[in-house]
Amino acid sequence: MIRTEYAPDGKFTDAATFNVIGRDKFTPTTFRSSTTNGWLTIDTGAVTLRYQVGSGAFTTGNLTVRLNAGRQVVQAAPWAGHVTPDCALATLCEAESLALRGPGVANDHGGYTGSGFAAGFQSTGDSLGFAVTASGTYQLSLRYANATGGDGQNTTRTLTVTVDGGSARTISMPPTGSWDTWAVATASLDLAAGRHEIAIARTAADSGNVNIDSLAVVQPGGAFPAPTTPRPKPCAFGTLCEAETGSLAGGAAPAQNHNGYAGSGFLAGLERAGAGDAITVTGVPSAGTYRVQLRYANGKAGAQPVQSRTITVNGATATLAPTSGWDYWRTVSIPVSLAAGTNTVTLGCPTDASCNVNLDTVAVTTADAPLLAPHAPLGGYRRGLDGVDGGALTAPGLLYQDGWSLLDDSLTHQDAYVFGYGQNYALGLQDLSTLTGPTKLLPQWAYGVWYSEYYDRTAAGFQQIVQRARAEGVPLDVMVVDTDFKAPDKWNGWTIDPAKFPDPQGFVNWLHAQGVRTGFNIHPSILGSDPRFAAAQATAKGKLQRVGCNGGADCYVFDWGDPDQLAAYLQLHRQLFPGKPDFWWLDWCCDGSRSSKADVTPDAWINQKYADETGFAFSRAYGSLQAGGYSGPTAVPTGPWADKRTTLHFTGDTTSNWETLQFEVGYTGGESVATGLAAVSHDIGGHTNGLQQPGTEPGSTKLPDDLYARWVQFGTFQPIDRLHSNHSDRLPWQYGPAANASAKKFLNLRKTLQPYTYSAAAEATRTGTPIVRPLYLAYPTEQEAYATAGAEYLYGPDMLVAPVTTPGTSATTTVWFPPGSTWTDYFTGKRYAGGTTGQITTTLDTMPVFVRSGG
C-alpha cells in the first residue's frame, strides 16, 4: 500500500482522520526510489509507482502504478475517476460522468440522455463538478427535471454555481411538470484564460431536490448541444477492451443495470438472431491461431430456465455455461484464426435462443497468455436493501479483480491510499483493517439465534414466546422489541408504554435470567407534543428543527453533528430506559435526522455514539438518507470505511420471495469484501410483500412452507441469524410439520455452530477476512470462483455452503467444489473431490453444506 498525497501549500496531513486511524501501525516497507527524465519511481518489489515530478496535482496521466496479478502485468492510473473531468466548450457532457459528491446516478425516470442522470441534490454540500478551458463570457446550461420533491413541494428550485471556488451565482430551475420532463436553465460565467473548475452545489441557501441530466458551456444565448453517439473504438492486440465499444447491431446496446462490470458498462441486448458486435483488432503480430477472451454473465433470462448459451466468434460456435446470476462473471478463451495486422472479430447470435448473455470485456491474445482480469469490482455495498425485490445495484468498494484500488481520504487536498494486492485479496482486506480499523467483534451471544418481528406485543407476549421456544426445543439468544412499545406515539415516542411494559427493567432482567439478550427500536425524531420534547429542546438550545416526518407535521429531527442536539438525542435514550438495554436498534427510516459534521457520514458518526453507549451499533451503515436516496447505492465522499468498527449492519426491509433470497446469497460476502464489515444481518424470511399467505396471528401473514424453511437454512450460515418480518410469522411452530421440523433442526444447528461462528468473527476482526467469504478470496485463479459467487460461499474457513433458492420440498443444486480439498457433505457424509461440479439433491430436511477435509 502506498499513500499518495498532494498538498499545494506543502502542509501535509499527519494526524489521523475519522476513516484512517491506523496509518502508523504498518511495518515499514522496504523500497527503492529513483528519478529519471523527470519521473520519480518508487519500487516496493510488489508495486511500482511513477510520478512526473513537478506536474502538480495527481491526474490520470502523471501518476501510474504497475503490479502483477498472477501472470498478468497490470498498468493502472489510480487517480482516474477521482479528479475533476474536463468538459469541452459547446459539448454536451453527461452529468453522471462528472465529479459527483453526494448526488446519486439514477435511471428511474424517462427522457434522459446517456446512461442516467445525477439524482437528488437533497443535502447541503451535494455537488457536481467539472473543468473547462476557456477565456471570456460564456453561458452554463443545465438540462434538469424538477417535480414534486421528497419535501412535498413543487416549486422553483435553486443551486449555486462557483468558478474555482470564487464568487457564487444562483441558477434557478422552475418546475418541469414531471420527473420525466426536462428543461434547460442557464447561468452566466466570466472566465479568465486557462482551465477552470466549476462546481454546481446545493448550499444552505438553496432548495435543491432536482435531477440534472447533462450540461454544456456555450456562447451566451447558444443552443443546448445534442448528445453525440459514441464511435466504435479499435482494440489493440493483447489488451482488454470494453465489449460495448465495438460496432453494435441487431439490438445490442450498452447497459449498466447489473453489478461487477468493468469500465462504464457492458454489452446487453444480445437476444435475437442478428444481434452482434464487431470489434476491430489492431496489431495482430502474424497470421495464426489466437484466443478471444470473453468476460460474460449468463443468468436467468425472463421466464426461460437457466441454461448454457451459444455465441459465434467469426462464425464458429462457442458455448457459454451459466453463471450464478447477472452480477457474476466468467472469462472464457475461444480460438480464432486471424491475419497479420488489423482484423475484425465478430460476435454474433445464430438463433433467437442463442446468446441471451451480457458481455463485459474482450481481449485477443496469444494462446499461452493468461486470462486477463479487468478492473472490475468484486462485491459491493448499499446503505440497505430496503424495497429490494430480487436484485439491486451496489457501490464498488476495496476489491477489484485486477488487484488494485484507491481509497480516497481527501479532505482539504488530494490524499489517498493505493492498495496493490494482486491476487492476494485477503492481504488487501488485512491492510484495510489495519488502515481504517478492524471490523467489530460482537459479543458471543450475538452469533446465536435472534427473534425480531414488527408486531405489537406486550412484555407478557414476549415472555410467552420465550417460554414456548423453550418448550418446543428452539434456541433463542436475542429478543428484539420493535417500535410499538413506545408512547405517546408508537413510531417516535420517548416513553415506554406502561400498559405494555409495566416494569421494563424487570422485563429485561427476566430475559437475562432465561439467557436472552434484548434491544429496543429507535426512530430518530420526536413530536413537539411529546412530554419529553421541552427538555430535549432545552438541551439542544432550541436548535431541533420542525420539518415534518413519518410522525406527522409536528415532527422534529436532530443534527447529530451539533454537540447540543447530539446531547439531547442521547439524553432521550437514557430517560427512556435508565437501566440501558443490551443494545439500541437504530431503525433509521424516513425521519430526516442527519449530521452536519464534516467529513463523516451521518451513519458512521451516530453509530460510533451508539457503540460508545452499548458496545456496538445495530443500524444501517454507509451514508445518509440524503445520499442518493433512502437505501440507495450512491457512494458518499467519505466512503464506507469507518462503519465496520462499530456496526452490526441491518440491511433493511426486503421483499419475501425466492428472487430476493437468491440475491442475498451473494450479497453478504460481496458487502464484506467491499467494505471490511463482517457483521451483516438480513431479515431472515424477508420483511414484507412477496409471497404471503394468511398467518397464525391476527393481522399477520406467513411465507410458503418451503420458502420459510430454505430462508431459515440460509440464515443458519450467515453472520447474524435474525428472524424478522413485518407482521409475518417467523417461528417454527407457526408452519406445517416439515417446515417446522426443518426450522427447528437448523436453528439448533445454528446454536451448535455458535462457537465456530464466533471464532470466524474473531478471525475477521484479527485479519480482515470476513465470516462469509466469496470463493475468490481463497481461489483467485479459478474462474469458477467468480462465476459461482452468487450461489455458494465459504462460511468461516472450512464450510462450503450453497443455499437452496428454488421452490419445492425437494431441490437439486449445482455445486462447484473448489480444488485442493475433499469436501464431505455435512448431512450425508458423502465425499466430493475438489475441482469437480456436483448435482446435490436435498429435501427440506437438509441443504448443500460441505466440510473441507481436515476442517
Side-chain angles (χ1 to χ4, degrees):
M1 188 181 66
I2 300 175
R3 185 181 185 197
T4 59
E5 182 180 8
Y6 179 79
D9 57 3
K11 297 179 180 178
F12 293 91
T13 302
D14 293 323
T17 65
F18 193 83
N19 278 327
V20 175
I21 63 173
R23 193 182 65 208
D24 298 327
K25 295 182 179 180
F26 290 89
T27 301
T29 300
T30 301
F31 66 92
R32 294 174 298 174
S33 65
S34 61
T35 301
T36 305
N37 297 325
W39 285 85
L40 168 67
T41 299
I42 298 173
D43 186 356
T44 70
V47 175
T48 301
L49 180 144
R50 300 180 74 239
Y51 171 69
Q52 188 175 12
V53 178
S55 61
F58 303 131
T59 67
T60 301
N62 71 0
L63 189 146
T64 63
V65 298
R66 186 180 73 247
L67 68 154
N68 293 331
R71 293 197 295 128
Q72 177 184 355
V73 178
V74 177
Q75 300 278 357
W79 278 91
H82 294 264
V83 295
T84 304
D86 288 284
C87 181
L89 286 172
T91 301
L92 180 148
C93 296
E94 298 290 352
E96 65 272 18
S97 300
L98 303 179
L100 299 178
R101 294 179 66 86
V105 175
N107 53 20
D108 55 343
H109 297 296
Y112 61 85
T113 59
S115 61
F117 51 87
F121 292 87
Q122 295 173 304
S123 183
T124 299
D126 285 0
S127 67
L128 177 157
F130 68 96
V132 63
T133 301
S135 175
T137 299
Y138 290 88
Q139 173 181 296
L140 171 64
S141 297
L142 290 183
R143 187 171 190 260
Y144 72 93
N146 173 15
T148 301
D151 57 4
Q153 299 184 53
N154 188 356
T155 184
T156 296
R157 306 286 190 169
T158 63
L159 294 172
T160 295
V161 181
T162 57
V163 178
D164 298 326
S167 60
R169 64 212 70 191
T170 299
I171 186 165
S172 296
M173 291 158 281
T176 58
S178 78
W179 290 112
D180 301 316
T181 306
W182 302 83
V184 175
T186 63
S188 64
L189 298 176
D190 296 314
L191 304 176
R195 183 178 185 269
H196 303 280
E197 294 201 358
I198 298 174
I200 303 164
R202 178 177 177 176
T203 68
D206 290 313
S207 50
N209 284 281
V210 293
N211 296 334
I212 296 179
D213 178 38
S214 54
L215 58 80
V217 177
V218 299
Q219 295 290 339
F224 195 78
T228 58
T229 302
R231 296 181 178 179
K233 297 179 181 178
C235 182
F237 180 84
T239 64
L240 273 169
C241 303
E242 299 296 321
E244 69 273 16
T245 61
S247 180
L248 310 182
Q256 301 87 20
N257 60 330
H258 296 297
N259 299 306
Y261 59 81
S264 60
F266 55 88
L267 179 60
L270 300 174
E271 299 170 356
R272 61 190 61 87
D277 185 8
I279 301 163
T280 300
V281 180
T282 61
V284 177
S286 61
T289 299
Y290 296 94
R291 311 292 292 193
V292 174
Q293 297 184 10
L294 290 183
R295 188 173 190 256
Y296 75 92
N298 176 10
K300 193 175 189 301
Q304 301 176 41
V306 176
Q307 58 188 291
S308 292
R309 302 287 186 171
T310 58
I311 193 170
T312 56
V313 179
N314 281 6
T317 299
T319 299
L320 304 179
T323 60
S324 55
W326 294 112
D327 297 330
Y328 304 97
W329 305 80
R330 176 191 287 114
T331 300
V332 295
S333 179
I334 303 166
V336 64
S337 296
L338 299 175
T342 300
N343 291 254
T344 298
V345 173
T346 302
L347 310 175
C349 300
T351 67
D352 289 352
S354 61
C355 284
N356 286 275
V357 296
N358 294 333
L359 303 181
D360 182 29
T361 59
V362 180
V364 178
T365 67
T366 59
D368 60 350
L371 292 179
L372 301 181
H375 192 60
L378 298 175
Y381 65 96
R382 286 175 65 93
R383 184 171 181 276
L385 303 182
D386 300 273
V388 167
D389 184 356
L393 295 178
T394 61
L398 177 76
L399 292 191
Y400 282 76
Q401 194 170 348
D402 64 346
W404 69 273
S405 60
L406 184 88
L407 190 157
D408 193 347
D409 195 44
S410 300
L411 299 177
T412 59
H413 55 262
Q414 288 181 310
D415 189 3
Y417 298 81
V418 179
F419 284 73
Y421 40 79
Q423 292 183 328
N424 190 351
Y425 303 134
L427 174 62
L429 289 169
Q430 185 172 23
D431 284 349
L432 177 69
S433 180
T434 302
L435 182 68
T436 63
T439 190
K440 182 70 178 180
L441 178 62
L442 306 176
Q444 187 162 354
W445 51 259
Y447 301 102
V449 176
W450 294 46
Y451 173 72
S452 168
E453 183 183 359
Y454 177 27
Y455 194 92
D456 196 350
R457 301 189 191 279
T458 64
F462 283 109
Q463 289 171 332
Q464 289 169 4
I465 291 175
V466 174
Q467 292 165 338
R468 179 71 182 270
R470 295 290 183 261
E472 295 276 350
V474 174
L476 191 61
D477 295 274
V478 184
M479 175 74 76
V480 179
V481 180
D482 212 320
T483 190
D484 291 316
F485 74 94
K486 300 166 189 165
D489 187 90
K490 289 184 179 182
W491 184 263
N492 56 2
W494 287 94
T495 301
I496 295 178
D497 187 343
K500 295 176 182 176
F501 289 82
D503 180 7
Q505 188 61 56
F507 170 71
V508 171
N509 293 343
W510 183 89
L511 289 177
H512 285 178
Q514 304 299 313
V516 179
R517 304 290 180 146
T518 189
F520 289 78
N521 175 286
I522 294 296
H523 291 116
S525 59
I526 185 170
L527 298 182
S529 59
D530 193 289
R532 299 196 188 277
F533 174 74
Q537 185 69 296
T539 301
K541 299 179 181 177
K543 289 179 282 188
L544 299 184
Q545 292 184 317
R546 186 177 189 266
V547 299
C549 61
N550 200 77
D554 187 34
C555 183
Y556 290 74
V557 296
F558 302 83
D559 175 1
W560 293 310
D562 174 66
D564 298 324
Q565 295 183 61
L566 177 63
Y569 183 69
L570 296 177
Q571 170 185 295
L572 285 167
H573 290 69
R574 293 160 188 161
Q575 293 172 340
L576 178 66
F577 202 103
K580 193 181 297 183
D582 295 294
F583 59 90
W584 298 105
W585 171 19
L586 178 56
D587 186 8
W588 192 357
C589 176
C590 320
D591 292 340
S593 286
R594 61 187 182 88
S595 172
S596 60
K597 189 174 180 64
D599 309 315
V600 181
T601 65
D603 296 78
W605 180 242
I606 194 60
N607 287 346
Q608 178 65 64
K609 299 308 169 185
Y610 273 107
D612 292 343
E613 290 287 305
T614 61
F616 68 93
F618 177 38
S619 176
R620 291 175 179 84
Y622 311 137
S624 69
L625 296 175
Q626 293 78 24
Y630 183 61
S631 83
T634 304
V636 294
T638 46
W641 313 117
D643 300 84
K644 67 179 180 299
R645 303 195 299 257
T646 60
T647 305
L648 163 55
H649 183 201
F650 151 62
T651 61
D653 303 344
T654 50
T655 302
S656 295
N657 57 22
W658 291 101
E659 293 79 8
T660 303
L661 170 59
Q662 183 177 31
F663 175 74
E664 289 181 351
V665 172
Y667 180 84
T668 306
E671 177 186 320
S672 292
V673 300
T675 67
L677 191 154
V680 180
S681 175
H682 300 300
D683 290 357
I684 298 303
H687 189 259
T688 192
N689 297 323
L691 301 176
Q692 301 285 0
Q693 303 170 354
T696 61
E697 297 185 272
S700 73
T701 60
K702 63 187 298 187
L703 305 179
D705 278 21
D706 54 350
L707 178 57
Y708 171 73
R710 295 302 191 184
W711 220 313
V712 171
Q713 291 179 359
F714 167 74
T716 302
F717 299 94
Q718 287 290 289
I720 303 298
D721 191 4
R722 183 175 53 85
L723 306 173
H724 184 65
S725 72
N726 177 5
H727 297 76
S728 185
D729 296 348
R730 292 293 179 268
L731 295 166
W733 56 86
Q734 295 170 322
Y735 286 85
N740 181 10
S742 175
K744 287 178 179 176
K745 176 177 181 176
F746 278 90
L747 293 173
N748 276 283
L749 175 56
R750 173 69 181 194
K751 187 66 179 176
T752 299
L753 290 173
Q754 192 170 1
Y756 176 86
T757 304
Y758 184 72
S759 176
E763 182 181 355
T765 300
R766 186 175 64 254
T767 69
T769 299
I771 301 168
V772 169
R773 308 172 181 187
L775 291 177
Y776 49 73
L777 282 187
Y779 305 95
T781 63
E782 300 290 334
Q783 283 297 313
E784 292 308 297
Y786 303 92
T788 62
E792 55 186 280
Y793 54 83
L794 289 175
Y795 185 67
D798 295 318
M799 303 189 81
L800 176 67
V801 181
V804 175
T805 59
T806 54
T809 57
S810 177
T812 299
T813 306
T814 301
V815 177
W816 175 68
F817 298 100
S821 301
T822 300
W823 298 91
T824 302
D825 190 306
Y826 185 86
F827 298 98
T828 69
K830 185 175 179 179
R831 295 161 68 86
Y832 296 87
T836 65
T837 298
Q839 301 297 313
I840 311 302
T841 299
T842 58
T843 64
L844 297 186
D845 189 52
T846 60
M847 69 179 291
V849 177
F850 309 88
V851 179
R852 185 197 307 273
S853 56

